[in-house]
């Protein structure tokens, strides 16, 4: 059973998370959060001191850059190697961990869990992403969402939640999908289904197009069909679903919006991390 | 490419389906629908004549009883063996086909497709099932659904669609699920999530409990927690999710509602069959 | 302040109401409910005994037929005159009271309040009426409501609530209204607005037409435009919104559904009576 | 019948409006829009030339400041007196017209119509105001709206539309109202009703409070009950519903958001103006 938790690095979400974990009576030790003074916390002098006796270690999201752990509130850098050495034999939960780090960790008998890959965390984060997209859509257009035609490309987690919210605001929502089952779900939820083969001939209808597909769907040929005064929002990570050169060329308003949950609603993101950790804790019991 | 379709047996849904297929200019021949006079159709004198030159054969849902093909509109019986013999080497689409019939068909080089197992058909049918459940719920209670506490057991296809509709009517919807991901989706869609471990202690809250889980969840112990004036509706096929003996013993109002789509909305069911067939036709092209 | 309540006559809703009033510690005396044995209650031997010392008298909904108070659970009749004589100088709350009874009551210094005319009660009852209409619509059609085109005539209380619920189930809802403001609200709530002048040319689009307007809107000329396999539900009281002769002539399926709240959800209706009484009690304090 | 329309002054909404009126084949003359070059239009040299033969004159929203007509795109000022002199005997439609101007206009036989006071325009504008409020709410909080407790003060036009949208996004919406009928409607629409007398004891529950009531509701005493990390948005015009001094004193995040429709969605606002003008034109026929 998890009793002592070591927290290393992290941003404002991590600080909110610590508050919640302390309410649940876990024993917390931290390192790499020295510059945070919003809440009192047990700050250790060394990494070793921090991980000593910990049942689980919680690292940042994203875990690291090329060399160092993410520590915006820390007053010294923590090398990836240093972290791995200290975490030897333990369970580590962090987010967006590079594949090679996973492998290094394995060699040191570290059980590394990427929270960002947990399905339930991804579903919950889709809520925050959808709200961020709605804020952008209201801000960047001179029309209401209500009564307007909005196309969502892709019917995965973000597509599903966003479609529901936009319909809830009163937009006329169409969703593009490839699989027959997704098309059936789109009908069941009351959106207009657009099959991939019919995409091009339908593009001219939409005032706002929001992409959630992680590869380029809107090339020159497609962009030529889009209304000149439409807004395209891309929520997919690199390379995204829209040809950047061509969208600029076409003169269509374009917003590439990444990592919305941490920006739009860090407190809720921390709650979602907490809920996911609760599940992880139960599983590692 | 599919041009000629042979239709054998079937109920009112099949007749509606024939109307739609004729609108799409398919060449139709039928057998086992002799007593239907609502629409004109090409009725063959023999099974052999009917399947002659057909690119695909459409059989009934459900396909058969112990011995015969389902032919409520036919004026003579068609033995399963007879059907298989006639269909040799062809593609057959029907519904709820027994496993042993699949095997016999295989021996005769028949490609047998069970439409009821098609995911998109099952999703669309969930819409009809949900509406049927709503009708029962309004009819069998002396309270409004609006403002009432309703628990759905299981968050599969029917659970998802039913939860959305009940929320749309204004009920306070809770959904029970086991998987963390389902719990996350239940939150995302704005229902109250109930984890299986917490089910028993929550059961007393609900005026209506609707089961969609295909094994017994509500045993004596659980039923004792349910309100005496609650309504339980079971949508799961045999054995269902409710211990029949115990629910009677407990004196709780109970409705076991099976095969709702065909009963509640045969015309829409036919449309869903048509949409699924369109997909099957594309795949067999 | 209301302490002692006298209940005279009434149906199953009245009995539920008594349960709720007793929970609130009111002192209750009853007359004309002799045959009820579902809950224990203080049954008086005479009308005079029942009203003695009462701060308020609650009568039935509807209040009476031509001669007698409505007492389905009573074992003797109570004449209107007899009631008025006994209630002299008191406050009486009942429902659907005839105008001439109001006047007679006034002469006896009775303050007569018609609960059915209270705006908040009418709004709440619209919820029950809407659910009843939905049950009928599911039952009487062979198509799903989901995805279907439904027209509501009139955008008053029932129109508003019904439109919301039908949209919540997934129907494509159009609402007919005359006033510019109603048309604006219909747009704001995301339904298709149909102005009265455009009604005739739009009627052919709908699978289900539900009338809430209390005068005949659908005459022969209009009915000729309606789909032959449509369903028309009339929720308006006499004369209703549909020419009965002509709808029969036209061979269109027609259901005239009156007084749904008491039939569909008597328990909820009693709750709504209770909520309205709470408001009346506050006002008479 | 309206054929020739004279447009005097106005902002970007007026320009969009001209586009729509020209599509409808009205003959347009303009004055006070000299600096606009986004669309071609018939620009007159003098006010007199512009109004000559016009069936109706459309002025700006708001109509004027202390002395001059609102002409952000004009290259000279137009005095109120000058406008009134020129409009003698005509119908003028403009917005937010001061009472004394109405009276002056009357003396010159001008029929002055304030579009902002048209009920249908106000309803439609509520849609834009609600979207603007949602954008602010997402932006100014570090939590999601989804799953959060939001209180709306007042259940008028903006309150109704905003409540629906916030519920559509997945927020838990409570609405405060005074009238019994409004409380009934709040229940019917599925929000939590808060009666004014119960407001103070409930204020601590909400993460976001949005006021739509045009007089001060939240004084010191009320603000002391509000969560320290809540967000208060005031949508009511001067004096608004929140004591400005006290909210600052209390250290609660506060946004006073006025005139959102023109800012958030000028194009849709122009469409709403057009729809309202269509109604006015019909009435003046």
């Amino acid at each position: 059973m998890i009793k002592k938790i070591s927290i290393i690095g992290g941003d404002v979400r991590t600080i909110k998370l610590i508050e919640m974990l302390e309410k649940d009576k876990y024993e917390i030790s931290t390192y790499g959060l020295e510059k945070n003074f919003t809440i009192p916390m047990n700050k250790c002098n060394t990494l070793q001191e921090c991980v000593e006796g910990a049942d689980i270690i919680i690292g940042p999201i994203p875990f690291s850059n090329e060399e160092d752990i993410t520590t915006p509130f820390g007053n010294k850098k923590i090398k990836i190697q240093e972290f791995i050495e200290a975490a030897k034999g333990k369970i580590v939960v962090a987010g967006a961990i590079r594949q090679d780090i996973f492998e290094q960790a394995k060699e040191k008998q570290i059980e590394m869990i990427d929270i960002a890959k947990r399905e339930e965390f991804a579903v919950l984060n889709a809520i925050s992403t959808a709200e961020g997209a709605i804020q952008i859509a209201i801000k960047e257009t001179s029309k209401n969402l209500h009564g307007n035609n909005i196309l969502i490309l892709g019917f995965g987690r973000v597509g599903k939640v966003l479609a529901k919210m936009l319909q809830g605001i009163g937009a006329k929502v169409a969703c593009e999908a490839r699989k027959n089952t997704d098309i059936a779900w789109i009908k069941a939820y009351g959106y207009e289904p657009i099959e991939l083969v019919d995409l091009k001939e339908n593009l001219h209808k939409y005032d706002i197009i929001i992409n959630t597909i992680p590869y380029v769907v809107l090339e020159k040929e497609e962009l030529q069909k889009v209304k000149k005064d439409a807004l395209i929002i891309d929520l997919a990570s690199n390379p995204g679903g829209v040809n950047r050169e061509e969208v600029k060329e076409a003169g269509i308003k374009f917003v590439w919006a990444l990592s919305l949950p941490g920006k739009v609603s860090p407190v809720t993101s921390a709650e979602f991390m907490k809920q996911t950790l609760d599940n992880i804790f139960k599983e590692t019991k």
Side-chain angles (χ1 to χ4, degrees), chain A:
Chain A
M1 225 185 87
I2 307 290
K3 284 185 182 167
K4 188 172 183 303
I5 301 175
S6 164
I7 314 267
I8 298 169
D11 57 19
V12 67
R13 292 173 292 177
T14 302
I15 292 158
K16 283 285 159 190
L17 179 65
I18 292 171
E19 262 188 306
M20 295 178 219
L21 291 169
E22 292 200 318
K23 257 192 203 151
D24 280 5
K25 307 292 181 203
Y26 289 105
E27 192 185 328
I28 307 285
S29 61
T30 74
Y31 186 74
L33 288 166
E34 292 75 18
K35 289 188 291 191
N36 164 61
F37 300 105
T38 51
I39 59 161
M41 53 173 69
N42 172 20
K43 297 176 185 173
C44 301
N45 293 317
T46 66
L47 196 49
Q48 286 67 29
E49 187 193 327
C50 180
V51 303
E52 179 94 22
D55 298 308
I56 206 159
I57 299 170
I58 297 174
I61 307 177
F63 181 64
S64 67
N65 62 16
E66 286 302 296
E67 294 182 6
D68 303 311
I69 304 304
T70 315
T71 55
F73 288 103
N75 56 17
K76 47 184 169 284
K77 293 194 168 179
I78 306 169
K79 294 256 164 265
I80 295 171
Q81 285 314 320
E82 207 183 330
F83 182 101
I84 286 178
E85 204 58 49
K88 213 187 281 185
K90 306 237 177 228
I91 303 169
V92 172
V93 180
I97 307 162
R98 289 202 328 258
Q99 194 49 42
D100 63 303
I101 296 176
F102 259 105
E103 279 147 28
Q104 289 174 52
K106 210 174 172 184
E107 284 170 25
K108 302 284 181 183
Q109 286 78 50
I110 299 171
E111 187 192 331
M112 201 117 191
I113 297 168
D114 194 331
I115 194 171
K117 286 192 181 146
R118 292 279 300 199
E119 180 75 5
E120 79 266 44
F121 186 67
V123 170
L124 293 170
N125 264 335
I127 301 170
S128 308
T129 300
E131 287 200 15
I134 285 171
Q135 189 204 331
I136 293 166
I138 298 176
K139 184 162 175 282
E140 300 295 338
T141 54
S142 53
K143 290 185 183 180
N144 284 342
L145 303 186
H146 180 280
N148 246 332
N149 293 302
I150 302 182
L151 173 65
I152 299 171
L153 300 170
F155 200 64
R157 290 180 293 253
V158 171
K160 283 188 179 79
V161 177
L162 186 53
K164 183 185 192 311
M165 287 188 180
L166 286 171
Q167 194 186 53
I169 286 181
K172 290 169 195 153
V173 180
C175 298
E176 177 278 340
R178 256 133 306 189
K179 285 188 284 177
N180 293 331
T181 308
D182 283 344
I183 293 292
W185 274 117
I186 291 166
K187 285 177 192 168
Y189 276 109
Y191 319 124
E192 179 83 7
I194 305 287
E195 298 194 45
L196 185 55
V197 291
D198 305 324
L199 178 59
K200 225 184 292 173
E201 62 185 281
N202 280 286
L203 280 171
H204 67 280
K205 297 178 186 165
Y206 302 102
D207 300 294
I208 300 175
I209 297 171
I210 305 177
N211 177 63
T212 70
I213 302 172
Y215 58 82
V216 181
V217 183
L218 299 184
E219 290 285 8
K220 183 172 188 168
E221 210 182 347
E222 283 81 17
L223 289 166
Q224 282 171 342
K225 309 282 186 183
V226 173
K227 278 186 190 180
K228 284 296 160 232
D229 60 350
L231 167 69
I232 300 178
I233 301 173
D234 196 347
L235 301 174
S237 51
N238 226 329
V242 185
N243 186 318
R244 268 95 187 98
E245 301 287 304
E246 294 295 347
V247 76
K248 194 182 269 182
E249 189 73 21
I252 297 167
K253 197 166 193 176
F254 174 72
V255 178
W256 192 12
L258 292 181
S259 308
L260 289 177
K263 293 173 195 164
V264 168
S265 47
V267 172
T268 304
S269 286
E271 284 167 15
F272 292 160
M273 283 165 68
K274 175 64 169 52
Q275 291 171 25
T276 309
L277 281 173
D278 285 345
N279 292 336
I280 292 171
F281 290 0
K282 271 184 225 161
E283 291 163 17
T284 58
K285 235 185 262 190

